[in-house]
Amino acid sequence: IEKVTDTMGDDENEGRGVGGMSSMIREVQELADKFKVEEDEMYVSPYAHLEKAAVLQDARIFHDPTQVRENPRKCCTVIAQLLHLQNTGQFLSSQEATEVFFGVTKLFMSDDASLRRMVYLFIKEVAETCNPDDVIIVTSCLTKDMTCDVDLYRANALRVLTRIVDAAMLGAIERYVKQAVVDSSAQVSSSALVSASHLFNSSPECAAVVRRWITETTEATSSPNEMVQFHAMHVLYQIKQHDRLGISKLVTQYSQRNNLRSPLALVLLIRYSTRLLRAEGIPAGESITQHGSPAAKAAFQFLEASLRHKSEMVVYEAAKGICGLPNLEPQDLSGAVSVLQLFLSSPKPTVRFAAMKTLAAVSATQPRVVAKCNEDLEALISDSNRSIATLAITTLLKTGSENSVDRLLKQISSFLTDIADEYKISVVRSLQQLCLTYPAKHRILVGFLSNFLREEGGFDFKKSIVASIVSLIRSVPETTESSLLHLCEFIEDCEFTMLSTQILHLLGELGPQTSAPARYIRFIYNRVILENAAVRAAAVSSLAKFAAQCPSLRSSILTLLKRSLADEDDETRDRASVAVSVIEAAMEKNPYIPPPEDAEPEDIQPDKPVDDDSAAFIYMESLPMSFDKLERSLKAYTSSAVDMSNSTPLTLSALPIVEDTAEDLIAADAVNGMDGETTPGIAEEKKAEPVDPAAAVYAIPELASLGRVFRTSQPVALTESETEYVVTCIKHIYEEQLVLQFTVQNTIETQCLKNVTVAIDDSDSELFDVSGEIAAESIAYGETKNCFTVLQRNMDSSLMPGVFACELHFSLVEVDPVSGEEEGEGFDEEYPTDDLEITTADFMAKVSVPDFRKAWETIGNSNEVLEKFALQFKKLEEAIAAV
């Protein structure tokens, strides 16, 4: 506009110029309005509102030869619409599919290449849903195309034909497919190899046919086309994948011949070489190049040679394969790490990310080898790709030295604010591991983590920081006081109730044991005043624990707790009431006497409760089992008739021992582990109620008098699952008896088993004698019932493993499979089973110990044996492998 106005001469021209400018602006505006797209106007697919009836009506064009020849584009559009209907769930009926399929077969008369390819696609997509008899009709047309002169038709016909034939039809066209594998056309050869791969996976019969093409497939690996080499290598591996010697020869042959020009084929060969080396199983501390087999040495040399290939994908695959091998020495990894270090400076983000991810995996086991890349890793902290930057940070935290911690933290502080929470969590876990590696830096690292507790972030990010700090308190006791203060400052402005209650629980557990417990009282009482009901209740319990462990603080804490007696929340009020009652009783029984003001420090008694202090016992002594296990133990107690008839008062020590399930052990590892994944207090999904494994024994009146079952073993199979009679055994351990519960299943339709027992041969055992049997009266076809054998234990003999011969005894009665009526009286029969092994482990219950040190001290020294052992190994890895 300025240019137009500046060129105007006099007033008239200026007036005309302004008018022309206005008209130009108006035209531009009209043009913009013409092409303007409304914000709520969205792209509509041309296939969005298709109706099946209309498409089927349009499909009648397939039967008009004139339209097929003159308008192939219309035919292609109709086929695309039919495929859209098929893929969106609007399936054709059997009659409609047959009619459309026959119409599509008439399109083979057209010579249009695009239409022919659409026909191939339609047959391949619809073949699985059509009648097999209809599909066979197009076989002759496809076979004709497979032998024509047009490579495009031959290749596509091969792909379609091999998708619709079975093993019987494959024999008829096998000769054509074998010729196509070694065809001079790369398109045809590649299509034949891909078809062979699909056939190999389709059925065992087709796989047997494909195995006969190994000569042609091997010849195809010499093709000048890279894609043909790639497909041929894949099919060769499929044929030999279950032959370890064949795979070894394949790797050795092609790694030494150097005739593979295809980078993709070389990538496959590198992967096969890596699998071969992993299967070799080189022990720790031994080098592959020195102690490996000739095939392993050749495979490793091939991997090292591939590090110098001109293709980036081959070089990276070789480096990744070497870094992924177990038990490698640092000198064997140096070449691969050097190549990955070069990739870190690549201009391609994908190459940098791949190299960074592999180095991060190596740093977990060989941090010193990756340490030489630290300068390049530090440069990647500012990478625009945050995934690369996060991996660089986490790797540096594993490979950095103690002197570099301060510098790394400065770089991380500016980096963490710009990344998503999931990346922050990865960095937090790496910082936790770094603190375990360098405990002397705990103040700096814990302070760094606590700073980010006050920054913006989601629940998962804050939870990971809290879990990391808690784990560090458990592992590095020196961090306790500083960490607790940081957590106290965090709960002053914490928006997550779950984290606040967890931290308050931790303060109540560890705070009284610090050098100055009184400093935490203010933070805890602030939660009583300012927070919601759940946090207030947790704060009251935490204050009660301080009073229980610190007699000098009881009077002050008692005053604070009395203010919560009028709380509006029932839970908070009840906890405060109990705490006040317990603490007042303890103060009355054991009043606190402060030391004189002029007393020497060494004369002052420690601020600890006396041994029989009731408050310390109530608040600090934990239950010997979890509430879940207590519930299961009480249910086991009530299911035993002997226990319920006992007049002895019920105590925790009198409850039956409940073994930990696999879920219990996993949960305990997660809570006590260092990964920070699990936070105490998180509501878990409702687990299925466990069933008492001894319920079947308690239901038998003859066995109920034996008392309570100590433990029950897992079922042990005494027969194969496919045999006529399937027998499993469950061992129920009593104090003086062993009850064997045999579960027997009858799988024969024409038989019924009567008076079923399992005979135990105890002639060679000094520990057990058979004292009784309870038979299963009748087991019809498909039924599963129990019979029992009781072994009396010789209490004078020590426990030792034993093997007992077992034999199934029963009366066999023939049964009419139609009417189900028994025929005849039957006869006695015996059926041998596997031997039953009774081990010492059967008499041991798996129970987790929350506080191992306390449990160990409770046992006393009478059961302790102190001996010294020495292992004649120079390296820890060798000792672990030997033990």
Side-chain angles (χ1 to χ4, degrees):
I1 294 172
E2 291 176 358
K3 185 175 181 180
V4 172
T5 54
D6 289 342
T7 55
M8 300 302 170
D10 51 14
D11 293 341
E12 284 186 22
N13 292 336
E14 186 175 350
R16 286 197 301 269
V18 172
M21 180 183 64
S22 300
S23 63
M24 182 179 66
I25 293 176
R26 187 166 53 253
E27 291 178 2
V28 171
Q29 185 65 37
E30 291 175 358
L31 190 63
D33 292 339
K34 180 179 180 181
F35 292 99
K36 183 178 180 181
V37 178
E38 299 294 335
E39 293 183 359
D40 56 349
E41 185 177 338
M42 300 178 63
Y43 168 77
V44 179
S45 170
Y47 302 107
H49 304 290
L50 285 180
E51 294 183 1
K52 186 171 71 170
V55 176
L56 291 175
Q57 182 70 24
D58 292 341
R60 294 184 177 179
I61 191 177
F62 300 158
H63 300 279
D64 188 348
T66 304
Q67 288 290 333
V68 170
R69 284 193 299 269
E70 296 179 357
N71 197 2
R73 187 67 178 267
K74 173 66 174 176
C75 297
C76 290
T77 303
V78 174
I79 291 178
Q81 292 174 345
L82 289 169
L83 290 173
H84 178 79
L85 292 175
Q86 181 80 8
N87 292 328
T88 54
Q90 302 181 55
F91 299 106
L92 305 179
S93 65
S94 177
Q95 182 178 357
E96 293 170 344
T98 301
E99 183 179 352
V100 171
F101 198 81
F102 275 112
V104 170
T105 58
K106 295 181 179 180
L107 299 179
F108 278 100
M109 69 179 68
S110 174
D111 294 330
D112 186 80
S114 299
L115 179 57
R116 184 66 60 91
R117 297 180 71 179
M118 290 297 293
V119 170
Y120 292 141
L121 180 61
F122 181 83
I123 294 174
K124 189 168 65 173
E125 290 294 325
V126 184
E128 296 180 358
T129 58
C130 283
N131 190 340
D133 296 334
D134 299 338
V135 176
I136 294 175
I137 296 174
V138 301
T139 305
S140 59
C141 299
L142 293 172
T143 306
K144 181 180 178 181
D145 284 357
M146 191 172 61
T147 57
C148 69
D149 297 331
V150 183
D151 291 344
L152 178 65
Y153 293 174
R154 294 170 61 198
N156 285 285
L158 268 171
R159 288 177 179 267
V160 178
L161 193 58
T162 52
R163 292 291 290 269
I164 64 176
V165 299
D166 54 14
M169 297 177 61
L170 181 59
I173 64 170
E174 179 182 3
R175 178 169 61 90
Y176 301 107
V177 181
K178 289 172 66 176
Q179 289 176 354
V181 169
V182 293
D183 195 272
S184 57
S185 171
Q187 185 179 12
V188 175
S189 179
S190 184
S191 298
L193 290 166
V194 171
S195 301
S197 179
H198 286 297
L199 286 170
F200 193 91
N201 294 326
S202 62
S203 67
E205 293 79 10
C206 292
V209 176
V210 174
R211 286 191 179 94
R212 300 201 292 260
W213 307 347
I214 188 169
T215 304
E216 289 77 13
T217 306
T218 305
E219 184 179 346
T221 58
S222 303
S223 171
N225 186 272
E226 294 182 353
M227 194 57 67
V228 173
Q229 286 190 347
F230 167 65
H231 290 143
M233 182 60 64
H234 174 66
V235 175
L236 269 181
Y237 180 76
Q238 277 187 303
I239 294 173
K240 299 182 178 183
Q241 60 183 339
H242 298 298
D243 181 7
R244 183 175 177 181
L245 181 60
I247 293 295
S248 177
K249 290 181 178 179
L250 175 69
V251 171
T252 305
Q253 176 184 355
Y254 285 95
S255 62
Q256 295 177 353
R257 186 183 296 179
N258 296 327
N259 65 339
L260 290 178
R261 300 183 184 88
S262 170
L264 291 172
L266 285 170
V267 166
L268 284 182
L269 188 59
I270 289 170
R271 292 183 179 179
Y272 304 153
S273 302
T274 305
R275 293 173 190 173
L276 181 66
L277 290 171
R278 286 178 179 170
E280 187 76 14
I282 301 297
E286 296 184 3
S287 175
I288 293 178
T289 56
Q290 297 178 1
H291 300 89
S293 65
K297 292 179 181 178
F300 191 76
Q301 290 172 0
F302 168 66
L303 293 181
E304 289 185 323
S306 298
L307 294 174
R308 298 181 290 274
H309 198 272
K310 61 182 180 181
S311 172
E312 281 185 342
M313 76 168 73
V314 175
V315 174
Y316 171 70
E317 192 66 33
K320 178 185 175 184
I322 292 175
C323 293
L325 295 175
N327 303 328
L328 276 190
E329 291 296 309
Q331 63 269 20
D332 295 330
L333 287 170
S334 58
V337 172
S338 299
V339 168
L340 294 173
Q341 185 178 5
L342 294 176
F343 282 170
L344 294 178
S345 56
S346 171
K348 302 176 183 177
T350 52
V351 176
R352 295 199 306 273
F353 176 76
M356 192 64 257
K357 187 176 181 181
T358 305
L359 286 174
V362 176
S363 64
T365 55
Q366 301 273 11
R368 293 185 180 180
V369 178
V370 186
K372 66 179 183 180
C373 307
N374 282 356
E375 293 184 6
D376 301 275
L377 295 176
E378 289 184 17
L380 291 177
I381 294 178
S382 57
D383 195 281
S384 58
N385 188 308
R386 286 311 181 190
S387 298
I388 298 176
T390 305
L391 285 172
I393 282 290
T394 55
T395 306
L396 279 170
L397 292 176
K398 297 174 185 175
T399 61
S401 62
E402 189 171 1
N403 298 328
S404 64
V405 171
D406 297 337
R407 186 178 73 256
L408 284 175
L409 293 182
K410 289 180 181 179
Q411 293 175 307
I412 296 173
S413 59
S414 59
F415 164 78
L416 273 181
T417 55
D418 301 331
I419 61 176
D421 280 2
E422 58 263 27
Y423 298 129
K424 293 179 182 178
I425 293 172
S426 300
V427 175
V428 167
R429 291 175 185 165
S430 297
L431 285 170
Q432 175 187 339
Q433 294 295 97
L434 183 65
C435 189
L436 295 177
T437 306
Y438 303 115
K441 294 288 184 179
H442 70 269
R443 290 186 180 276
I444 299 174
L445 291 168
V446 173
F448 180 83
L449 289 174
S450 63
N451 287 336
F452 282 95
L453 277 176
R454 294 185 285 273
E455 299 292 336
E456 292 294 328
F459 172 73
D460 290 332
F461 174 51
K462 298 294 181 69
K463 184 186 76 170
S464 67
I465 296 179
V466 172
S468 296
I469 293 177
V470 172
S471 297
L472 290 175
I473 291 175
R474 309 289 188 191
S475 303
V476 187
E478 294 84 359
T479 66
T480 300
E481 297 203 15
S482 61
S483 298
L484 290 180
L485 285 175
H486 289 309
L487 294 176
C488 285
E489 294 175 0
F490 169 60
I491 61 175
E492 288 289 323
D493 191 25
C494 178
E495 58 183 315
F496 304 110
T497 300
M498 190 181 302
L499 296 181
S500 295
T501 54
Q502 180 196 358
I503 293 172
L504 288 170
H505 172 76
L506 185 72
L507 287 172
E509 180 185 353
L510 301 178
Q513 302 172 11
T514 58
S515 58
R519 71 170 75 172
Y520 306 105
I521 302 299
R522 173 176 61 87
F523 297 100
I524 299 175
Y525 186 66
N526 284 344
R527 302 307 99 216
V528 178
I529 301 174
L530 304 173
E531 291 288 354
N532 55 42
V535 178
R536 294 201 306 270
V540 167
S541 296
S542 183
L543 287 174
K545 291 180 180 179
F546 271 82
Q549 296 187 75
C550 302
S552 62
L553 300 177
R554 286 181 177 177
S555 59
S556 303
I557 293 176
L558 190 62
T559 304
L560 300 177
L561 290 174
K562 287 181 178 179
R563 297 177 183 177
S564 297
L565 293 176
D567 194 279
E568 59 183 12
D569 178 61
D570 294 342
E571 178 73 15
T572 305
R573 192 169 57 250
D574 291 346
R575 291 192 186 190
S577 178
V578 172
V580 168
S581 176
V582 170
I583 294 171
E584 285 180 343
M587 291 175 65
E588 182 179 353
K589 183 178 179 181
N590 302 303
Y592 174 72
I593 301 176
E597 296 182 358
D598 58 348
E600 297 294 331
E602 58 271 10
D603 296 334
I604 299 177
Q605 296 295 324
D607 190 15
K608 294 182 178 179
V610 297
D611 293 338
D612 60 343
D613 189 86
S614 58
F617 176 80
I618 292 174
Y619 280 102
M620 303 316 300
E621 286 291 330
S622 59
L623 284 173
M625 62 187 75
S626 65
F627 284 103
D628 180 51
K629 293 183 67 175
L630 177 61
E631 179 187 8
R632 288 158 52 195
S633 183
L634 286 171
K635 288 183 177 180
Y637 182 88
T638 55
S639 62
S640 174
V642 174
D643 288 335
M644 294 301 292
S645 61
N646 195 342
S647 59
T648 305
L650 178 61
T651 60
L652 288 174
S653 58
L655 289 174
I657 295 175
V658 178
E659 279 197 285
D660 290 325
T661 61
E663 293 79 8
D664 294 334
L665 296 175
I666 293 174
D669 290 341
V671 172
N672 298 326
M674 296 299 298
D675 55 2
E677 291 282 352
T678 303
T679 303
I682 295 179
E684 299 179 354
E685 296 182 4
K686 187 176 181 181
K687 296 185 292 185
E689 184 176 352
V691 180
D692 187 4
V697 177
Y698 293 144
I700 306 297
E702 295 88 345
L703 300 178
S705 60
L706 297 179
R708 179 198 305 162
V709 175
F710 169 69
R711 73 174 296 266
T712 300
S713 70
Q714 293 295 322
V716 179
L718 298 183
T719 61
E720 298 292 337
S721 58
E722 298 84 9
T723 55
E724 302 94 324
Y725 315 114
V726 182
V727 183
T728 59
C729 178
I730 300 176
K731 292 168 274 189
H732 302 281
I733 310 300
Y734 289 80
E735 185 176 353
E736 298 182 1
Q737 294 87 12
L738 173 62
V739 175
L740 303 177
Q741 174 187 341
F742 295 99
T743 303
V744 183
Q745 180 184 10
N746 179 15
T747 63
I748 301 180
E749 188 176 3
T750 59
Q751 294 181 0
C752 178
L753 311 183
K754 301 281 189 179
N755 194 26
V756 182
T757 60
V758 176
I760 302 292
D761 184 6
D762 60 351
S763 58
D764 297 332
S765 175
E766 299 179 357
L767 183 61
F768 294 104
D769 296 317
V770 177
S771 61
E773 292 180 343
I774 298 177
E777 295 183 0
S778 175
I779 305 178
Y781 165 68
E783 290 184 345
T784 301
K785 293 188 178 180
N786 299 320
C787 60
F788 299 87
T789 301
V790 181
L791 301 180
Q792 185 69 34
R793 177 182 164 189
N794 184 2
M795 302 302 294
D796 296 332
S797 301
S798 59
L799 284 174
M800 61 183 66
V803 178
F804 296 84
C806 302
E807 195 171 48
L808 185 65
H809 291 184
F810 53 89
S811 295
L812 181 60
V813 180
E814 296 291 339
V815 176
D816 185 355
V818 179
S819 62
E821 297 180 356
E822 298 180 1
E823 300 176 349
E825 297 182 358
F827 55 92
D828 293 338
E829 186 65 78
E830 299 174 354
Y831 186 81
T833 65
D834 295 341
D835 293 343
L836 175 64
E837 183 179 5
I838 298 176
T839 64
T840 308
D842 293 330
F843 296 84
M844 299 180 184
K846 297 179 181 178
V847 180
S848 59
V849 180
D851 190 346
F852 180 80
R853 182 180 295 276
K854 183 177 179 181
W856 179 263
E857 292 173 353
T858 304
I859 296 176
N861 297 330
S862 59
N863 296 315
E864 182 179 341
V865 177
L866 183 62
E867 295 185 18
K868 185 176 181 180
F869 298 93
L871 298 175
Q872 303 299 324
F873 298 99
K874 296 181 179 180
K875 295 184 179 181
L876 180 61
E877 292 82 3
E878 298 177 2
I880 293 174
V883 172

